[in-house]
Amino acid sequence: MKVKFFAQIRELTGTASVEMAVPENATVEGVRQALMARGPSWQEALSVNVLCACNQTLCDGATTVSEQDEVAFFPPVTGG
Amino acid sequence: MKVKFFAQIRELTGTASVEMAVPENATVEGVRQALMARGPSWQEALSVNVLCACNQTLCDGATTVSEQDEVAFFPPVTGG
Amino acid sequence: MFARVIEADFSQQALFDELCQHDKASQSGAVVTFTGRVRDYNANGAIDGIELEYYPGMTEAALQRLLDEATTRFNLANAGIVHRVGRLENQAQIVWVGTCAAHRQDAFNGASYMMDMLKQSVPIWKKEWADGSPTWVAAKGTDSDAAMRWLTDDKDN
Amino acid sequence: MFARVIEADFSQQALFDELCQHDKASQSGAVVTFTGRVRDYNANGAIDGIELEYYPGMTEAALQRLLDEATTRFNLANAGIVHRVGRLENQAQIVWVGTCAAHRQDAFNGASYMMDMLKQSVPIWKKEWADGSPTWVAAKGTDSDAAMRWLTDDKDN
């Protein structure tokens, strides 16, 4: 599964996107927990003020995801 | 005194402006009455739906005017 | 600020640039423009253009007064109005109003206010053409005299 | 309708013409544009430009959804949004929103609505530069998640 990161989250993790394997019936929250286990910068980047999208639609942590989905984590928006 | 007419009033009277002598202590209403006495088309043009201005500022009939003033009669505005 | 009555068409880009160039604060993040165009119909059917008459001198003064009023009321960094007169074809640009402000809602409200007041209060009269003949447009409502009160001297208000 | 995310600057005239040309009714008398520009200050003092990041694909879809929503809600004849991304200097144009409608107030309300929603709901993130270093701008309020709810699938609303 492809996971994308934007803004502060991209900078803190030093990562714009990763490919990761997910188990069946994985949730977005499960993906977030797995990513936070990667180290302190991941923990910091993904612990607060995080929105998530699945296939470019905003979702919540309970959303289930599978291999072919695109998941993204980003902070609240500040454009315009 | 110069008197100007606009829109329907200008067309009905066939007149864009006139010079007329006014007595001392004349009012805008007095000017209107004097103009209406000029004939049926003047009567029709100036009897209803008429706004008036003195020196390019909207005024009412009681406003007093003298020789050096510019008076105007026109219908309610419809621009924009 | 600029208030103009003109016969020729106007350029959106030129007016936008003029508005922003003279933004006295050079810091207004919000710019709103309104453009009115000739519609090709009225309540009775198709029309074939309009014709606008004005009162040279008084009309420009009324537009300037409108700019002053909106600038104070909505804290505008700059504002402009351009109104065309004469014969205008369907879809032609009639009027342009532009506002600059630090805050978005002020820019919107200032432009909207100027258009509302302009339609009620600025000495301009409109004919609509249909089937080759013109008809003067009647003012909406019967209280135009009251609506124009703000144009009178302050002492009369 | 058009929704675009671009790096290059845009022309007011070109966007106005595009908006009016594709006005499907060819009869909308009212055209409103909003332009957002980079301000040269924030709450802490002078700034030296901004930098905008976006989510290719999702951002364009969110802008398109905003156009659809505003068009239905305010009975617009046409509407467009253009948002720049990347590094932008002070005073540079950031965003343009345009609306065409038969009625003046619809055109104003549609443009104002799109800007309100855009600031809350479109995936774009802003850095401000000052003294040579960038700082991410914090979102206003703590309810951005709620504000973005309309971007989620209808079944979740």
Side-chain angles (χ1 to χ4, degrees), chain C residues 29-92:
Chain C
V31 186
V32 168
T33 72
F34 174 88
T35 304
R37 299 192 306 158
V38 180
R39 288 194 283 192
D40 56 12
Y41 65 94
N42 66 13
N44 299 318
I47 71 164
D48 183 24
I50 64 170
E51 190 170 339
L52 293 172
E53 180 171 335
Y54 77 119
Y55 184 169
M58 184 173 178
T59 305
E60 291 89 339
L63 293 176
Q64 184 59 53
R65 198 155 167 170
L66 207 45
L67 288 178
D68 294 340
E69 185 102 357
T71 297
T72 304
R73 191 182 284 228
F74 299 101
N75 205 19
L76 304 179
N78 198 12
I81 307 183
V82 175
H83 208 301
R84 293 178 70 192
V85 291
R87 189 83 163 82
L88 300 174
E89 302 302 312
N90 287 356
Q91 272 89 56

Side-chain angles (χ1 to χ4, degrees), chain D residues 76-146:
Chain D
L76 304 179
N78 199 13
I81 306 183
V82 174
H83 208 302
R84 294 177 70 191
V85 291
R87 188 84 162 84
L88 300 174
E89 301 304 312
N90 287 356
Q91 273 89 53
Q93 302 184 116
I94 306 169
V95 58
W96 180 95
V97 161
T99 56
C100 277
H103 300 290
R104 182 163 87 253
Q105 210 49 57
D106 283 337
F108 276 117
N109 289 342
S112 179
Y113 171 83
M114 283 197 283
M115 282 307 302
D116 286 349
M117 296 305 290
L118 191 154
K119 295 221 169 214
Q120 296 175 336
S121 319
V122 172
I124 294 177
W125 302 277
K126 177 160 55 181
K127 269 177 177 170
E128 288 172 343
W129 289 73
D131 301 324
S133 69
T135 309
W136 286 104
V137 173
K140 286 179 186 149
T142 55
D143 56 353
S144 302
D145 194 32

Side-chain angles (χ1 to χ4, degrees), chain B residues 12-68:
Chain B
L12 282 166
T13 62
T15 306
S17 79
V18 294
E19 289 288 342
M20 63 189 278
V22 288
E24 276 199 45
N25 299 316
T27 63
V28 169
E29 177 60 14
V31 172
R32 189 174 73 100
Q33 294 294 339
L35 289 164
M36 284 200 291
R38 292 188 171 202
S41 64
W42 291 83
Q43 172 91 31
E44 183 190 354
L46 292 166
S47 56
V48 293
N49 248 352
V50 176
L51 301 181
C52 46
C54 180
N55 299 325
Q56 305 191 353
T57 299
L58 207 70
C59 67
D60 60 24
T63 303
T64 56
V65 290
S66 57
E67 280 298 337
Q68 64 273 26

Side-chain angles (χ1 to χ4, degrees), chain D:
Chain D
M1 293 199 295
F2 51 96
R4 285 180 209 132
V5 178
I6 57 175
E7 294 207 355
D9 199 7
F10 50 81
S11 151
Q12 291 286 329
Q13 189 70 55
L15 293 179
F16 184 92
D17 291 345
E18 182 172 1
L19 182 71
C20 292
Q21 185 185 341
H22 297 289
D23 165 11
K24 59 182 178 294
S26 280
Q27 64 180 24
S28 56
V31 187
V32 168
T33 72
F34 174 89
T35 304
R37 301 191 304 157
V38 180
R39 288 194 283 192
D40 55 14
Y41 64 94
N42 65 13
N44 299 319
I47 71 164
D48 182 24
I50 63 171
E51 189 169 340
L52 293 172
E53 179 170 337
Y54 77 118
Y55 184 169
M58 185 174 177
T59 305
E60 291 89 338
L63 293 176
Q64 183 59 53
R65 199 154 166 170
L66 207 44
L67 288 178
D68 294 341
E69 185 101 356
T71 297
T72 303
R73 190 183 285 228
F74 299 101
N75 204 20
L76 304 179
N78 199 13
I81 306 183
V82 174
H83 208 302
R84 294 177 70 191
V85 291
R87 188 84 162 84
L88 300 174
E89 301 304 312
N90 287 356
Q91 273 89 53
Q93 302 184 116
I94 306 169
V95 58
W96 180 95
V97 161
T99 56
C100 277
H103 300 290
R104 182 163 87 253
Q105 210 49 57
D106 283 337
F108 276 117
N109 289 342
S112 179
Y113 171 83
M114 283 197 283
M115 282 307 302
D116 286 349
M117 296 305 290
L118 191 154
K119 295 221 169 214
Q120 296 175 336
S121 319
V122 172
I124 294 177
W125 302 277
K126 177 160 55 181
K127 269 177 177 170
E128 288 172 343
W129 289 73
D131 301 324
S133 69
T135 309
W136 286 104
V137 173
K140 286 179 186 149
T142 55
D143 56 353
S144 302
D145 194 32
M148 286 186 78
R149 193 168 303 278
W150 71 278
L151 272 180
T152 63
D153 281 339
D154 286 338
K155 67 182 189 303
D156 298 334
N157 285 334

Side-chain angles (χ1 to χ4, degrees), chain C:
Chain C
M1 293 198 294
F2 51 96
R4 284 179 211 134
V5 178
I6 57 174
E7 293 207 356
D9 200 7
F10 52 79
S11 151
Q12 292 286 328
Q13 189 70 55
L15 293 180
F16 184 91
D17 291 345
E18 183 173 0
L19 182 73
C20 291
Q21 185 186 340
H22 297 289
D23 165 11
K24 59 181 180 293
S26 280
Q27 63 180 24
S28 57
V31 186
V32 168
T33 72
F34 174 88
T35 304
R37 299 192 306 158
V38 180
R39 288 194 283 192
D40 56 12
Y41 65 94
N42 66 13
N44 299 318
I47 71 164
D48 183 24
I50 64 170
E51 190 170 339
L52 293 172
E53 180 171 335
Y54 77 119
Y55 184 169
M58 184 173 178
T59 305
E60 291 89 339
L63 293 176
Q64 184 59 53
R65 198 155 167 170
L66 207 45
L67 288 178
D68 294 340
E69 185 102 357
T71 297
T72 304
R73 191 182 284 228
F74 299 101
N75 205 19
L76 304 179
N78 198 12
I81 307 183
V82 175
H83 208 301
R84 293 178 70 192
V85 291
R87 189 83 163 82
L88 300 174
E89 302 302 312
N90 287 356
Q91 272 89 56
Q93 301 184 119
I94 305 169
V95 58
W96 180 95
V97 161
T99 56
C100 276
H103 299 289
R104 184 163 87 251
Q105 211 50 57
D106 283 337
F108 275 117
N109 289 342
S112 179
Y113 171 81
M114 283 197 283
M115 282 307 303
D116 286 349
M117 295 305 289
L118 191 154
K119 295 220 169 217
Q120 296 175 334
S121 319
V122 172
I124 294 177
W125 302 277
K126 176 160 57 180
K127 269 177 176 170
E128 288 173 342
W129 288 72
D131 301 325
S133 68
T135 307
W136 287 103
V137 173
K140 285 178 187 151
T142 55
D143 56 353
S144 301
D145 193 34
M148 287 187 79
R149 193 168 304 276
W150 71 278
L151 272 180
T152 64
D153 281 339
D154 287 337
K155 67 181 188 302
D156 298 333
N157 285 333

